[in-house]
Amino acid sequence: MDFLDLPPMLGARGCVRLPGSKSISNRTLLLAALAEGKTEIRDLLASDDIERMLDALRALGIEWSRDGESDTYRVTGGAGTFPVKHADLFLGNAGTAFRPLTAALALSGGEYRLSGVPRMHERPIGDLVDGLRQVGADVRYAGTEGFPPLHILPAVIRPGGVVRVRGDVSSQFLTALLMALPLTGVETTIEVVGELISKPYISITLELMKRFGVDVRREGWARFVVPGGVRYRSPGTVFVEGDASSASYFLAAGAIGGGPVRVEGVGRDSIQGDVRFAEALSTLGAEIRVGDNWIEAEASRKGRLKAFDLDLNHIPDAAMTLAVAALFTDGPCRLRNIASWRVKETDRIAAMATELRKVGATVEEGADYLCVTPPDELTAAAIDTYDDHRVAMCFSLVSLGGCRVRINDPRCVNKTFPTYFERFLDIAQPVPVVAIDGPSASGKGAVAARVAAALGYHYLDSGSLYRLVALAAIKAGVSFDDERSLAELAAGLPARFEPARVFLADVDVTDAIRSEDCSAGASRVAVMPDVRAALLDRQRDYRRVPGLVAEGRDMGSVVFSDAATKIFLTATAETRAERRYKQLMEKGMAANMESLLKDLQDRDARDAARPVAPLKKLPDAVLLDTTELDIDQAVGFVLDRARS
């Protein structure tokens, strides 16, 4: 799909089983490849980043297999080396594969070329290369100095001593060195220059190395002593925790959308730093409960979430979710110490600022911070995702603000969570829609208006929209030949509907839109693709809390295809002609039964033969034949269906 439209949501509640952690998955795969023995890996994440690592390991001669029934991977380690000494590796945009593999291959005595997607070639790697050169590795840039792609050549490694690496750009550089240096067999000290960011990710690295038999001595966060004379040894079976960064979207959904929402796969015993996202939500006022292997979030009992000013250096990935959660707080919010966002899958500070403004927020962007002031009302928007999975996932939460949101390039979530949107829709509760379709003069308008009033829902009379566009054009002096201007009018059409009345900018235009000029104009604008596209989005904007009753053609098939209640209202052509005849006579207008009947039959035939969305009962719609029913009976039937 090029885009995914999420409808406005009433709230969120339910339970989600998390996919495996990307950070743990790729670290575990590389350690298993470098270890002695066979490692069985359970709950490995299925995603693009992991596929890139698996492909690379196979190209390097590491044997692995997957048991489809148990979804278990078995990796036969290379005991500290890679059997294949010449390889070209493509690693996409997978930083958790590219950086550690660079370090391991640089110390493996082979010749390798590593490349990725264009964005990977914009992500700095110079600090890691400088660290590897300090022990004698021969790593060269195949393009721009300081950035991938890389060319690694065999070299005489000078192990031991002190290796210095910057810590304020990406913690993955330190992770890569920590995981690779045991291959030298000599004790080596790593000194971190500057502040170490994303410390919890280093904790994951150290914990996993320990499970594979290498215990690094940490002296604060500035010095790390990698022991000599040790080798990685398989621990046998490794279970991959659920992804704590992915948990943030669902926990935030619970805090914003009422909840409770529970995530399973992480809890109080997690080795991932991003579980502390739950603590951040708690400071915003959300109700948080934590178990051994689960976390649950629920909305604050005191109303809106509280504004915040937080240092988020310890949870950089999950912090993006807080940037969207800021839209639902009671004041301006500040996210500090997030400079690492600049060198991720995209420049996340710039990307988040741009997209937050689209939905109505006021945003101040700095070198290492964002200030987000929530709007009074969120605006429907199309969100660009920059090939960044986390941008796509966190902006799904905007739908919980009662407005629709379009996610462009939703497939980018395949990087870490291919089924994200399915899981989100499992817990999110869309604003309900009752879609009433059917042939002309079947009573759709009268029934829909009364159903909307009984339910307290908004009401959409779609049949009046093209007439309203024509009237708006006449009032604005826009030519019926100017499709672009007409589409702009349609996109922002200030129309609202009440039973038997139509309003344009709060002016009752029920009679005005029936004039000959409006009728002629409606016929002209109705065939314009840009106008039709604009009105499609405009109709969807009528879907607001607490619900919508939408009547007219294509309501259930095109405009609100996900409507929970779909009614196909019909009656015999003779009955519909009689009803139309009575309406016209009551208004003092001349009418002829035979002519009315023929007009309806001809229109039915045209509607049923349309090449796009022909008028017919959908498989998931309920047929309501009102030939023998009065309006009270028809309204009662629809209300029973909607309420059930």
Side-chain angles (χ1 to χ4, degrees), residues 247-248 250-256 258 260-263 266-268 275-291 294-301 305 322:
S248 69
F250 301 104
L251 295 175
I256 296 166
V261 174
R262 175 176 291 197
V263 294
V266 293
R268 65 169 58 95
V275 294
R276 294 182 63 188
F277 175 82
E279 297 175 12
L281 271 186
S282 181
T283 67
L284 274 61
E287 302 286 336
I288 303 294
R289 292 173 285 277
V290 183
W294 56 268
I295 307 175
E296 189 171 88
E298 195 168 357
S300 169
R301 295 189 178 94
L305 296 173
L322 285 175

Side-chain angles (χ1 to χ4, degrees), residues 62-295:
I62 298 298
E63 296 181 6
W64 60 265
S65 62
R66 174 177 176 264
D67 182 337
E69 289 189 10
S70 62
D71 204 22
T72 297
Y73 287 78
R74 295 180 176 87
V75 181
T76 301
T81 187
F82 294 106
V84 174
K85 295 303 180 183
H86 293 80
D88 289 346
L89 304 176
F90 175 78
L91 296 164
N93 201 13
T96 57
F98 202 110
R99 276 76 176 265
L101 267 174
T102 294
L105 292 171
L107 305 183
S108 295
E111 181 177 359
Y112 306 101
R113 296 180 185 273
L114 285 74
S115 64
V117 299
R119 174 57 187 169
M120 178 57 78
H121 296 171
E122 297 172 352
R123 299 175 68 178
I125 201 168
D127 294 304
L128 173 58
V129 171
D130 291 345
L132 292 168
R133 287 173 174 173
Q134 291 173 48
V135 296
D138 188 353
V139 184
R140 305 178 186 182
Y141 299 109
T144 303
E145 189 80 7
F147 297 85
L150 301 177
H151 185 193
I152 297 172
L153 294 167
V156 177
I157 302 301
R158 302 184 302 274
V162 176
V163 175
R164 293 177 176 83
V165 64
R166 283 178 60 189
D168 58 353
V169 177
S170 173
S171 65
Q172 289 180 8
F173 301 154
L174 176 56
T175 278
L177 289 169
L178 286 167
M179 294 175 68
L181 285 173
L183 304 181
T184 68
V186 178
E187 180 178 290
T188 307
T189 298
I190 304 175
E191 290 187 350
V192 177
V193 179
E195 180 189 6
L196 177 60
I197 63 173
S198 307
K199 297 179 181 70
Y201 287 101
I202 300 303
S203 295
I204 293 174
T205 301
L206 298 178
E207 175 63 28
L208 291 174
M209 290 175 66
K210 186 175 181 179
R211 291 183 188 180
F212 279 84
V214 176
D215 195 356
V216 176
R217 187 170 80 250
R218 178 171 68 84
E219 299 175 3
W221 293 102
R223 287 171 58 88
F224 299 81
V225 181
V226 180
V230 295
R231 290 188 173 188
Y232 289 121
R233 292 181 174 83
S234 171
T237 300
V238 177
F239 290 86
V240 176
E241 287 184 15
D243 189 76
S245 300
S246 296
S248 69
Y249 315 116
F250 301 104
L251 295 175
I256 296 166
V261 174
R262 175 176 291 197
V263 294
E264 295 180 343
V266 293
R268 65 169 58 95
D269 299 326
S270 173
I271 66 172
Q272 299 171 77
D274 274 354
V275 294
R276 294 182 63 188
F277 175 82
E279 297 175 12
L281 271 186
S282 181
T283 67
L284 274 61
E287 302 286 336
I288 303 294
R289 292 173 285 277
V290 183
D292 292 340
N293 194 43
W294 56 268
I295 307 175

Side-chain angles (χ1 to χ4, degrees), residues 16 115 137 186 193 195 199-200 204 208 213 316 403 412 490 525 548 565 572 587 600 606-607:
V16 176
S115 64
V186 178
V193 179
E195 180 189 6
K199 297 179 181 70
I204 293 174
L208 291 174
C403 70
C412 66
V525 302
L548 173 69
T565 304
T572 64
K587 293 181 179 181
L600 286 173
R606 289 195 303 271
D607 289 344

Side-chain angles (χ1 to χ4, degrees), residues 558-575:
V558 176
V559 185
F560 300 109
S561 58
D562 67 330
T565 304
K566 297 181 183 180
I567 305 293
F568 191 84
L569 198 69
T570 189
T572 64
E574 290 77 10
T575 300

